[in-house]
Amino acid sequence: MDITKTDEKTEETATEPKTEASPEVEAAAEATAEPAAQDALDEADEADDADDDEVPAEVSAGTGVGAGGAAVVSAALGAVALTGTWTAKVVSERETLIGQIHSQSGTPAQQISEIYGDAWHSTALVNGVFALLALVTAVLVLVLVRPERPAWVRAVALAGAVLGGLGLLLSVGTYFDLFLSLPTTGS
């Protein structure tokens, strides 16, 4: 290692030459130096505040996790509404049991209506509720999603809206016997 000695003074070791000045000159010099130093500090604070206000693009745009999750939930609810739910099955079985209890002394048409018709309609009602939830969730995601979010969020939400709408259409048709009517008894 080459160590050479120089006679140059660094900023840390340099001292100002002392000159004899009157107290008035020293006070005037300090008075002009303080506002300049204060202005420099104010500008530095403003620059720091401006840096704090700026939010990185990836943070301000958001990650879209909530919207993506809601889109997936809407698509899942739409698929469940089309295929049926465990809840609908339980409600259907309950209606079947209640129909069997109430129709023991009824006509065959009453028995069919109470045993099968009520269960059919309750299944359609429960599946319709799931379809409506899917549709509402998907529409909210589509309305509230920002353009800078990933395209897959909008695509999955659109799929959820289509599945929910189709499930709602089928549930309404089933509930009001538009597609198939209950069997009738022969006289």
Side-chain angles (χ1 to χ4, degrees):
M1 191 186 284
D2 184 25
I3 301 177
T4 57
K5 192 173 186 181
T6 62
D7 290 333
E8 295 178 24
K9 293 184 179 181
T10 62
E11 289 180 30
E12 297 170 358
T13 60
T15 58
E16 294 182 22
K18 297 211 174 193
T19 58
E20 295 284 326
S22 66
E24 294 91 19
V25 173
E26 286 181 2
E30 286 178 7
T32 57
E34 283 182 18
Q38 187 61 36
D39 288 343
L41 288 174
D42 290 342
E43 288 176 10
D45 287 342
E46 288 175 9
D48 287 342
D49 290 343
D51 290 342
D52 292 343
D53 292 341
E54 293 176 12
V55 179
E58 67 257 21
V59 173
S60 67
T63 57
V65 172
V72 170
V73 165
S74 71
L77 285 172
V80 164
L82 286 174
T83 59
T85 63
W86 176 80
T87 308
K89 181 70 173 165
V90 169
V91 170
S92 173
E93 291 295 324
R94 181 178 185 276
E95 288 297 322
T96 300
L97 181 61
I98 290 172
Q100 288 173 350
I101 292 170
H102 287 359
S103 68
Q104 288 179 353
S105 62
T107 65
Q110 287 175 334
Q111 289 177 351
I112 290 173
S113 175
E114 289 186 22
I115 294 173
Y116 300 108
D118 291 347
W120 178 279
H121 293 146
S122 63
T123 300
L125 186 64
V126 171
N127 289 341
V129 168
F130 276 90
L132 185 63
L133 286 173
L135 188 61
V136 168
T137 305
V139 168
L140 284 175
V141 170
L142 288 171
V143 168
L144 298 178
V145 73
R146 296 182 189 145
E148 65 268 5
R149 295 267 168 82
W152 71 266
V153 172
R154 290 187 299 273
V156 173
L158 184 60
V162 168
L163 289 172
L166 186 59
L168 191 60
L169 178 70
L170 290 174
S171 295
V172 168
T174 303
Y175 187 81
F176 291 111
D177 297 327
L178 299 176
F179 304 124
L180 295 171
S181 61
L182 286 174
T184 58
T185 59
S187 9

